Amino acid sequence: MKLFIPLFFICILTACKISQPSISSQEGYVEEELEVVRDTYVPLNNPEKIELKKDPYKKSRKIETDLIHTKLEVSFDWSSSRLLGKASITAKPHFHSLDHIELDAKGMQIKLVKLNERTLKYNYDGLKLKVLLDRMYSSKESYTIEIDYVSSPNDIEVKEGKAITSDKGLYFINPSGRDKNKMPQIWTQGETESNSVWFPTIDAPNAKSSQEIYITVKDKYKTLSNGIFKGSKSYIKGYRTDHWEQKKPHAPYLFMMAIGEFVEVKDFYKRKDGSKMEVSYFVEKEYEKYAKDIFGETPNMIAFFEKKLGVLYPWDKYHQVVVRDFVSGAMENTGAVIFGDFVYKTDKELLDENDQSTIAHELFHHWFGNLVTCESWANLSLNESFANYSQYLWDEYRYGKDEADYQANIEKQKYFDSGLESGYHDLIWYYYNDKDDMFDNHSYNKGGRILHMLRTYLGDDAFFKGIQLYLTNNAYRAAEFAHLRLAFEEVSGEDLHWFFNQWYTDKGHPIIQIKQTKFQGFPNKGSLGPNTGKVTLTISQKQNNDYPTFKLPVEVAIFDDRGKTIENIVVTSKKQKFNFSYKGTLKNILFDDQQVILGNIYSEKPRSQFVHQFYNSKSYNARLTGLKRATKKNNKESNKILMDALKDPFWNIRLEAIKIISGFGTEVFDRALPFLHKMAREDKKSIVRAAALRLINQNGEYSEGDWEDKYQLNFDLINSDSSYLVVSEAISGASKLNPDTTLERASKLEETPSIKLRFAIADLYLQYGSIDQFSFFESQLMESNLALQEGLEIQMLSILIQFSLKQKQIVLSLNKCYSLIFYLQVKGTEITKSYMPQIVDYYCSYISELEKTPENKEELESLLKKYKGLK
Ligand SMILES: [Zn+2]
C-alpha cells in the first residue's frame, strides 16, 4: 500500500540564539546561554495521512505436500516463444495422508499427467493444477508424477482474463534475431512466484526441492542453470541437450535458466579443503575482455563472507550471467546469478563506478535467502536486510569504514525519503497489499541499518556468532524473524524482544532532539577533581504516538581536557535528562559516538563543538555533520575548515567541501582555487577531480591569466585523464573557453565506448556544432549500442531534434532528420517508437511555422508533405 504524503518540512538549518530550557536551578549554578546551531526537524509523518490500510493478514503458505525433487526436460519454440516441457515431480504428503497434490502452474497447456505409466485425472484452472493420485499416500511415502506441458509466457491469460506482462517468469529476448544489436536469448526470473509459469511446482518460499534440468538447444547456444553441469548429449543433428543438476534443495523461486551465445570466462575459488570451485562469468563476446574487471572480486568476496559468517559457501558453484532487458537489477538464483546489462562496463568506465555492491548483495543471498529462506514474503527482510548489509561489510573490508559509512548514509536517506513519500510500515509486514510491495526501502535499506545497530549493540563476536547459529539451525529450511531473534538470544544470553518489537514488528524510527545545558561555577568536587563542570543533555523523542517510543542504548562521547570519554546511557522515554561531568573545557559532546542509530538526530549545540567534531571525530558521519554545521555561515572560521576539508583523507569530505564552497562567494573561491587546480589534476577519486574542475569552470569572472590556466587545465585533462567523467567535464569546460578547438578535439573522441562521454559530445555539438556534426548523431542512432539501454536512444534523439532545428541550413537539416526518423520508426526501440507520433507532429508544426521565402517555399512545402506522410 503506497500513500503519498504531501506535507513535510524541508530541513532548514539556522544558527540562532535560543534560551535553554529551565532546569530546576541548583544553588550556585548559573545556566550558560549558548549560541547553538539548531535544526528544524522533519517530522516522522503527518499522523492523519499515514493510516496504512490494514489489508488481510498475509500468512505463509500452508504446507500440505513436501517437494523432494524436480526434474525438468525442456526445449523451445523460439518463433512462437514457447517452452515445451516435461516435469517429473517427486513429493510426499507433509504430515496428513493425501490422495492428491496441488501445484502452481500459471497459464500452461497441460497435455498429460502420469504416475508409474498410469494416466492421472487432474483439474486445471489456469493457475492451479490439482492432480488426483492413484491412491492415498502417507507422509512416509513419496511418489513421482510426470507432467507434459507447454508454457507460453507471452500470450497466457490468467483466470480473470488479465494478461501477465511483468511476471512472465520466462522471457524470450529478440527471439527472431531481427534486432542486430541484441543477442537473442532466453532467461527466467522467478521471484516472487513467477517460475510456475515455466514449470509446475509449489511456488512458495517455504517449499524446497533439489533439481535437475535437461535443456535442449541449437548447438550454437550456451545454457546455464543452477548446480553442476553434468554433460551433454546430441539426439538431433545440430541440437544438444545439456544436463544440470543441483542436489541440495532450494526454493522454487531460485530455479533458473539462461540461454544465449554467451562467452564463458572462467575463474575459480579455492575452497578451504583446497579444492577448486567454478566461478564463471557469462557475458557477450564484446565484454569477454572486461569480465574479470567487472566480476573479478567475486572469489575474494566468497572468502571474506565465509570467514565473516563462519559458514562455508553452501552450493556447488558460483556463476554470474549478464542478460539484456532484465526486469530487475539482479537476481540471486542459486549458483547462477543474473545481472541486468547495467554491469557491462569497460575497465576505464569501472574507474568511475563499479558494481561490487550488487555483486556482494547477490552473493550474500546464497546464505540469506538461498540457504535459509524467508518463510513468507512478509518476512522478506530476512533475505534482503542481510543482502543489503553485505554491501556495508564488503565496503568496510575492501575500502574502509568511511566508505562503508558513506554508502550506509545514502541507504538510510533513501529509506527516509521513501517513508516520507509512501508511509512507514512494520519491517516484518503482514499487511502488504501486493507481495511486490515488500521489495522496498524498508526490507532492504532499513533492515540493513537495523542489523548494523544490533551488531554495534551486541559487539562483533556475539553478532556474527548469532548469525552463524541462525544459518546452521535453519540451513536448507525456511525461517521467520523469530528464528533470528532466538539465535541472537541464545548466543548473547539476553532477552531481545525489546529490540525486535520496536524494529521488526513496529514501524518508524526515532526523531531525536538533543539540547545541551552547561552549568558554570560547578563546585570543585566529585570524581573528576578540580575544574570539573557539569552538562545536561535533554533528550526528546519527537515522533508522534503512532510510532513506538524507542529504547536506545547510546554511547555518548565527552571531549574535554582529558581527551575523549565514553558514557553509556539508555534512552527509554519521550523526554529524559542525563547529566555528565567534564574536566576543564568542554569541547564537544557527541551523541551516538559511532553514529549507528537509524533516526533523525538533531543536536543543538555551539558551533565550536561542531568545529571540534569535524576535526576530532572518528566517524565519517560525525565529521560530515561537523563540517556542514560548522560552515553554515560564510566567515573566516568556516573558510579555514573548508580549506582543511579539501585536504581530507576521505574523498566525500573533499567533495562536500567543494559543494559548500560553490555556494559561497568569490573570496572563498579565490582562496580555494590553487587547491582546486591541484585536485582537478591529482585527486585520486575521479568524482572529486570532476567536481573540482566543474567549480573552476563555473566561476565566470576571470582575468586573462586565469583564462590561460583554465584553458590549459581543461585541455590537459581531456588529453590525459583516465576517467570519462573528468574528460566529459573538461569538454564542457573547454567548450566555453574555446569552442572551435574543443569541437576539433571532441571529434576524435566520437568512437569512445563511454555513453557518458558521447552525451557530453552531443551536448557540445548542440551548443556549438554545425550541420557537419549531423553524422555523429546518425551513427549514434543507427550504429551504436545506445538502443541496448532503456531510454538512451530517445534521449539522444531529443538532443538531435534541438540540434537539427538550430541549424542555419534548415532545409538540409530537416531532410537529414527525415531519413533518420523514417529509419527509427522501423528500427528504433519500443520507447522511441512510442514517441514517434509526437516527434513527427512537432516537426510538422515547426515546418508550418517557418517563414517561407520565394527561394525555399517549394522545398518547405514538400518537406512538410514528407513529414506528414510519416504519420
Ligand atoms: Zn536482494
Side-chain angles (χ1 to χ4, degrees):
M1 176 65 47
K2 298 207 166 188
L3 286 176
F4 180 64
I5 308 303
L7 276 177
F8 63 91
F9 295 98
I10 305 292
C11 175
I12 305 158
L13 300 167
T14 47
C16 58
K17 280 201 171 209
I18 58 152
S19 56
Q20 291 301 301
S22 70
I23 291 178
S24 60
S25 70
Q26 296 175 49
E27 207 185 331
Y29 309 154
V30 182
E31 287 178 23
E32 190 184 353
E33 195 157 285
L34 303 166
E35 188 188 340
V36 301
V37 181
R38 193 171 64 164
D39 299 332
T40 306
Y41 27 83
V42 184
L44 190 48
N45 228 319
N46 183 337
E48 280 102 279
K49 304 270 160 76
I50 49 100
E51 267 306 304
L52 285 170
K53 210 177 112 202
K54 287 269 175 189
D55 284 303
Y57 176 84
K58 305 295 190 306
K59 59 187 180 199
S60 27
R61 179 87 69 102
K62 185 176 176 190
I63 304 169
E64 293 183 318
T65 298
D66 290 331
L67 288 175
I68 297 170
H69 186 67
T70 306
K71 180 181 157 192
L72 302 172
E73 292 158 79
V74 301
S75 58
F76 306 94
D77 179 349
W78 289 68
S79 62
S80 64
S81 296
R82 291 189 310 164
L83 172 149
L84 316 173
K86 181 171 157 185
S88 305
I89 294 164
T90 307
K92 69 171 193 62
H94 177 68
F95 186 82
H96 298 293
S97 298
L98 284 177
D99 64 355
H100 65 272
I101 177 172
E102 189 177 89
L103 297 165
D104 298 283
K106 301 198 175 96
M108 288 178 183
Q109 241 181 294
I110 304 292
K111 301 271 190 191
L112 184 70
V113 185
K114 282 194 306 189
L115 191 155
N116 295 331
E117 296 306 314
R118 277 180 58 188
T119 304
L120 297 180
K121 284 188 179 151
Y122 62 87
N123 225 314
Y124 182 54
D125 66 359
L127 285 176
K128 300 271 184 193
L129 174 66
K130 191 171 171 181
V131 178
L132 195 63
L133 302 171
D134 55 344
R135 62 175 172 87
M136 193 68 106
Y137 285 79
S138 82
S139 66
K140 297 199 170 52
E141 297 173 289
S142 67
Y143 54 85
T144 302
I145 56 166
E146 280 176 34
I147 304 165
D148 284 340
Y149 64 96
V150 178
S151 164
S152 334
N154 286 354
D155 45 34
I156 52 172
E157 289 221 337
V158 295
K159 212 164 45 176
E160 301 84 22
K162 224 167 67 184
I164 293 182
T165 50
S166 61
D167 300 325
K168 286 186 201 174
L170 174 68
Y171 295 78
F172 289 79
I173 306 301
N174 189 25
S176 64
R178 222 171 287 145
D179 183 345
K180 293 287 165 247
N181 282 316
K182 205 174 277 175
M183 187 181 89
Q185 55 202 272
I186 296 172
W187 45 260
T188 62
Q189 166 58 29
E191 197 171 29
T192 47
E193 294 174 10
S194 302
N195 270 344
S196 46
V197 170
W198 63 277
F199 65 93
T201 187
I202 297 175
D203 206 350
N206 58 355
K208 295 224 175 194
S209 167
S210 56
Q211 76 174 72
E212 58 188 315
I213 305 189
Y214 293 83
I215 308 171
T216 301
V217 288
K218 271 189 188 156
D219 272 334
K220 64 177 178 175
Y221 293 122
K222 258 204 178 333
T223 71
L224 174 59
S225 187
N226 319 83
I228 293 285
F229 177 66
K230 302 290 284 183
S232 29
K233 279 193 178 135
S234 181
Y235 300 100
I236 310 166
K237 197 167 180 281
Y239 285 82
R240 200 183 73 243
T241 301
D242 289 349
H243 179 200
W244 294 85
E245 185 182 30
Q246 180 177 301
K247 287 192 170 145
K248 291 171 181 167
H250 64 159
Y253 76 86
L254 295 164
F255 285 39
M256 78 79 79
M257 293 185 298
I259 291 138
E261 289 178 71
F262 296 107
V263 177
E264 182 181 355
V265 177
K266 291 191 189 243
D267 207 344
F268 71 91
Y269 172 62
K270 200 167 167 197
R271 291 193 193 257
K272 282 260 156 54
D273 63 7
S275 63
K276 275 187 181 179
M277 180 178 86
E278 260 182 60
V279 173
S280 298
Y281 318 126
F282 289 70
V283 294
E284 288 168 27
K285 182 89 190 121
E286 201 189 333
Y287 283 88
E288 184 179 7
K289 56 178 179 288
Y290 304 118
K292 286 200 177 170
D293 297 312
I294 299 166
F295 293 112
E297 289 279 6
T298 307
N300 294 335
M301 284 183 191
I302 299 174
F304 169 65
F305 289 150
E306 278 192 341
K307 201 169 163 214
K308 207 80 197 159
L309 295 169
V311 177
L312 296 179
Y313 176 78
W315 309 99
D316 304 313
K317 58 106 199 269
Y318 198 71
H319 287 168
Q320 294 169 101
V321 58
V322 186
V323 304
R324 293 293 179 183
D325 296 356
F326 195 45
V327 284
S328 169
M331 178 63 207
E332 68 266 21
N333 314 298
T334 310
V337 174
I338 293 188
F339 290 85
D341 57 9
F342 68 94
V343 297
Y344 275 145
K345 293 186 176 79
T346 64
D347 51 348
K348 231 179 130 179
E349 286 176 284
L350 286 162
L351 294 174
D352 291 331
E353 190 190 7
N354 67 51
D355 295 297
Q356 287 175 23
S357 285
T358 313
I359 294 168
H361 179 113
E362 305 309 328
L363 173 59
F364 216 57
H365 270 310
H366 283 68
W367 287 268
F368 300 93
N370 302 13
L371 180 62
V372 180
T373 312
C374 60
E375 65 164 23
S376 66
W377 301 115
N379 278 277
L380 180 71
S381 199
L382 286 184
N383 295 6
E384 296 302 346
S385 64
F386 280 101
N388 180 280
Y389 193 51
S390 75
Q391 300 166 212
Y392 186 95
L393 295 172
W394 174 252
D395 282 339
E396 186 183 27
Y397 167 74
R398 181 72 176 74
Y399 299 102
K401 196 165 183 321
D402 281 354
E403 180 72 32
D405 283 339
Y406 161 75
Q407 297 292 351
N409 234 1
I410 295 175
E411 297 287 303
K412 185 166 84 173
Q413 198 53 50
K414 281 187 197 159
Y415 154 69
F416 289 155
D417 293 347
S418 70
L420 280 172
E421 195 184 309
S422 314
Y424 300 89
H425 58 77
D426 302 351
L427 188 72
I428 305 301
W429 194 19
Y430 294 108
Y431 297 97
Y432 60 79
N433 181 18
D434 187 300
K435 49 193 181 313
D436 289 340
D437 296 345
M438 288 304 300
F439 294 76
D440 68 356
N441 288 321
H442 279 72
S443 298
Y444 290 68
N445 308 30
K446 185 185 186 188
R449 308 287 69 70
I450 290 171
L451 289 171
H452 191 51
M453 280 189 289
L454 191 59
R455 174 184 170 190
T456 313
Y457 175 70
L458 295 174
D460 273 20
D461 288 349
F463 178 75
F464 287 106
K465 203 85 202 151
I467 287 181
Q468 188 190 26
L469 188 66
Y470 166 75
L471 288 172
T472 42
N473 280 352
N474 302 291
Y476 306 105
R477 295 159 64 101
E480 61 171 289
F481 79 98
H483 291 100
L484 188 64
R485 175 177 55 75
L486 290 168
F488 285 123
E489 287 186 349
E490 188 174 333
V491 168
S492 69
E494 185 181 339
D495 188 323
L496 291 168
H497 269 95
W498 64 270
F499 185 89
F500 281 79
N501 286 351
Q502 66 188 16
W503 291 116
Y504 282 76
T505 52
D506 214 330
K507 58 184 183 291
H509 54 266
I511 294 189
I512 296 174
Q513 180 202 48
I514 304 163
K515 292 193 176 190
Q516 216 180 89
T517 322
K518 208 165 84 175
F519 290 84
Q520 286 186 333
F522 193 76
N524 296 338
K525 62 180 183 186
S527 58
L528 302 183
N531 291 324
T532 298
K534 188 184 97 172
V535 61
T536 301
L537 291 190
T538 305
I539 296 167
S540 313
Q541 294 196 37
K542 294 285 190 182
Q543 68 278 9
N544 67 42
N545 292 331
D546 289 344
Y547 303 97
T549 301
F550 286 84
K551 175 179 169 180
L552 302 167
V554 184
E555 290 181 341
V556 178
I558 314 285
F559 294 85
D560 59 12
D561 288 359
R562 294 169 297 172
K564 174 179 167 181
T565 312
I566 295 283
E567 302 259 10
N568 286 295
I569 61 168
V570 183
V571 176
T572 50
S573 48
K574 280 273 178 206
K575 191 166 185 176
Q576 264 171 301
K577 285 179 181 174
F578 294 91
N579 293 322
F580 303 94
S581 297
Y582 63 89
K583 179 98 173 164
T585 314
L586 177 65
K587 291 164 184 164
N588 184 25
I589 300 185
L590 179 58
F591 181 84
D592 187 18
D593 184 49
Q594 298 185 59
Q595 304 282 290
V596 294
I597 292 175
L598 175 65
N600 302 108
I601 296 170
Y602 301 100
S603 279
E604 297 181 4
K605 57 188 186 182
R607 179 186 297 264
S608 64
Q609 291 195 17
F610 285 118
V611 174
H612 186 275
Q613 185 165 318
F614 168 66
Y615 284 108
N616 296 284
S617 292
K618 268 204 162 152
S619 135
Y620 155 75
N621 283 326
R623 295 198 305 120
L624 181 69
T625 309
L627 172 66
K628 286 180 167 175
R629 301 285 199 278
T631 55
K632 277 328 263 182
K633 277 185 187 165
N634 181 0
N635 59 25
K636 223 172 154 186
E637 196 182 19
S638 35
N639 293 355
K640 182 188 174 318
I641 296 167
L642 286 170
M643 297 311 132
D644 290 335
L646 288 178
K647 290 175 272 182
D648 197 89
F650 185 55
W651 64 268
N652 195 54
I653 296 281
R654 303 196 293 275
L655 187 64
E656 284 295 334
I658 293 173
K659 286 184 196 162
I660 297 169
I661 291 168
S662 73
F664 285 180
T666 42
E667 207 179 305
V668 190
F669 173 78
D670 287 344
R671 222 176 130 189
L673 194 59
F675 294 113
L676 292 171
H677 266 269
K678 199 170 151 53
M679 288 168 88
R681 287 180 189 273
E682 294 171 15
D683 200 285
K684 279 196 221 97
K685 193 85 179 170
S686 60
I687 190 172
V688 178
R689 295 201 298 280
L693 182 62
R694 192 176 317 129
L695 183 54
I696 294 169
N697 285 333
Q698 274 168 359
N699 221 284
E701 308 273 318
Y702 45 78
S703 63
E704 202 142 302
D706 284 346
W707 188 94
E708 284 287 343
D709 286 352
K710 221 195 258 194
Y711 181 76
Q712 197 60 47
L713 176 66
N714 280 292
F715 267 86
D716 285 354
L717 292 177
I718 293 175
N719 291 327
S720 68
D721 202 285
S722 57
S723 153
Y724 290 126
L725 195 63
V726 178
V727 174
S728 303
E729 197 61 54
I731 283 183
S732 154
S735 67
K736 293 181 188 88
L737 300 162
N738 190 336
D740 291 343
T741 332
T742 316
L743 282 172
E744 197 193 315
R745 184 69 192 85
S747 67
K748 300 199 173 67
L749 298 170
E750 285 180 3
E751 306 277 300
T752 174
S754 164
I755 288 168
K756 177 159 185 58
L757 185 50
R758 279 184 270 149
F759 270 94
I761 294 169
D763 274 332
L764 172 75
Y765 291 166
L766 171 61
Q767 302 271 343
Y768 304 103
S770 67
I771 196 82
D772 298 343
Q773 270 86 38
F774 194 92
S775 58
F776 166 77
F777 290 99
E778 215 166 30
S779 72
Q780 290 309 305
L781 292 166
M782 292 171 79
E783 290 149 35
S784 84
N785 57 358
L786 284 190
L788 288 173
Q789 280 182 42
E790 197 82 12
L792 288 181
E793 188 181 80
I794 191 77
Q795 221 173 305
M796 185 59 84
L797 182 59
S798 74
I799 301 178
L800 170 66
I801 293 167
Q802 297 172 62
F803 169 87
S804 63
L805 301 182
K806 258 180 79 177
Q807 297 311 312
K808 286 202 186 88
Q809 294 159 273
I810 191 67
V811 174
L812 178 60
S813 172
L814 288 169
N815 264 313
K816 281 176 178 283
C817 268
Y818 170 81
S819 314
L820 199 53
I821 301 262
F822 186 77
Y823 171 85
L824 290 172
Q825 268 192 332
V826 183
K827 301 270 182 167
T829 64
E830 289 309 312
I831 294 189
T832 307
K833 284 184 202 163
S834 72
Y835 277 100
M836 272 311 162
Q838 274 166 273
I839 293 168
V840 170
D841 271 350
Y842 185 66
Y843 270 113
C844 288
S845 62
Y846 180 84
I847 298 168
S848 310
E849 280 165 28
L850 272 181
E851 198 189 331
K852 297 185 182 89
T853 61
E855 297 87 68
N856 70 13
K857 190 166 182 281
E858 243 173 63
E859 285 175 314
L860 285 175
E861 269 162 15
S862 91
L863 251 174
L864 183 61
K865 221 169 151 190
K866 268 167 79 180
Y867 270 96
K868 278 186 174 164
L870 286 171
K871 282 188 191 179

